[in-house]
Amino acid sequence: MAAVLTALAVNATAQYSQLEKDYQFMLKLELGYAPFMGNVGVAGEAGYNLDKFHNAAGFNAMAGVNLSQDWFVGGGAGFNYYHNLQQGVVTPMMGVNVFADVDFRPIWQGLMGLDYQPATIKWAPVIGLRGGVSLLLDHPAYGSPITPLAELYGGVNWYYMHGLRNMGHNWHSFYATVGVAYLQQTVILPVRVGWRW
């Protein structure tokens, strides 16, 4: 009798969870460092926008919607501090980025369209892309140039809240990514850690 009551309670809880909304408003915060990889395009009269092997230390904040646990779609803004530690005296510069962000974290395993994993997993891969604009502030030669921003990244995602399959959405996580990005006539290699909640 106890087993039957337990099974009914579990089934009712699972059914309630399946009727919950399949999306949630979320925020993401990131800290990162991006080594200089190279310049692209055509240099202006005073060289490239970032022509002194500038690395970038940055912070990003994003808001958006988490869809079906696997997808995040949103927008954000970031701040970059461009500097160089090896080329002698180089004037540091600051910049602002505004972008759209999409990432995918496949957290359910399946076979031929059927879920077979009974519990959510703690670790999942993450891939994503960003597109927007980059504004460099107070460039000594060019003022404040605006360029396109494009980025592709991948990494690993750790869910610190997890439970039984279909008995609770698994939204919150920490993650680490590495990618390749273009902005200000420069290719950089952003390495980031972030928090999604």
Side-chain angles (χ1 to χ4, degrees), residues 8 24 31 34 84 131:
L8 289 175
Q24 182 173 343
L31 289 174
N84 187 317

Side-chain angles (χ1 to χ4, degrees), residues 42-62:
V42 179
E45 293 179 1
Y48 291 99
N49 293 353
L50 296 172
D51 60 353
K52 303 295 184 185
F53 301 93
H54 288 84
N55 302 316
F59 170 78
N60 294 324
M62 289 144 282

Side-chain angles (χ1 to χ4, degrees), residues 108-183:
W108 302 124
Q109 295 180 4
L111 182 63
M112 298 181 67
L114 300 173
D115 291 329
Y116 65 86
Q117 185 167 301
T120 61
I121 57 179
K122 294 183 180 181
W123 298 93
V126 56
I127 58 171
L129 55 90
R130 291 178 182 167
V133 295
S134 170
L135 171 65
L136 193 59
L137 303 175
D138 297 325
H139 190 287
Y142 295 119
S144 297
I146 297 177
T147 68
L149 177 151
E151 180 179 339
L152 179 66
Y153 61 89
V156 64
N157 197 83
W158 175 60
Y159 293 95
Y160 59 86
M161 296 176 65
H162 57 281
L164 295 178
R165 176 71 165 100
N166 285 334
M167 296 185 68
H169 286 303
N170 193 357
W171 307 104
H172 306 273
S173 64
F174 293 106
Y175 57 91
T177 62
V178 62
V180 60
Y182 165 81
L183 69 161

Side-chain angles (χ1 to χ4, degrees), residues 76-116:
F79 170 82
N80 281 345
Y81 176 75
Y82 300 101
H83 63 284
N84 187 317
L85 300 176
Q86 299 179 352
Q87 299 294 320
V89 179
V90 174
T91 302
M93 289 179 278
M94 292 177 267
V96 176
N97 303 322
V98 179
F99 53 86
D101 179 43
V102 177
D103 73 42
F104 176 60
R105 294 154 283 115
I107 67 172
W108 302 124
Q109 295 180 4
L111 182 63
M112 298 181 67
L114 300 173
D115 291 329
Y116 65 86

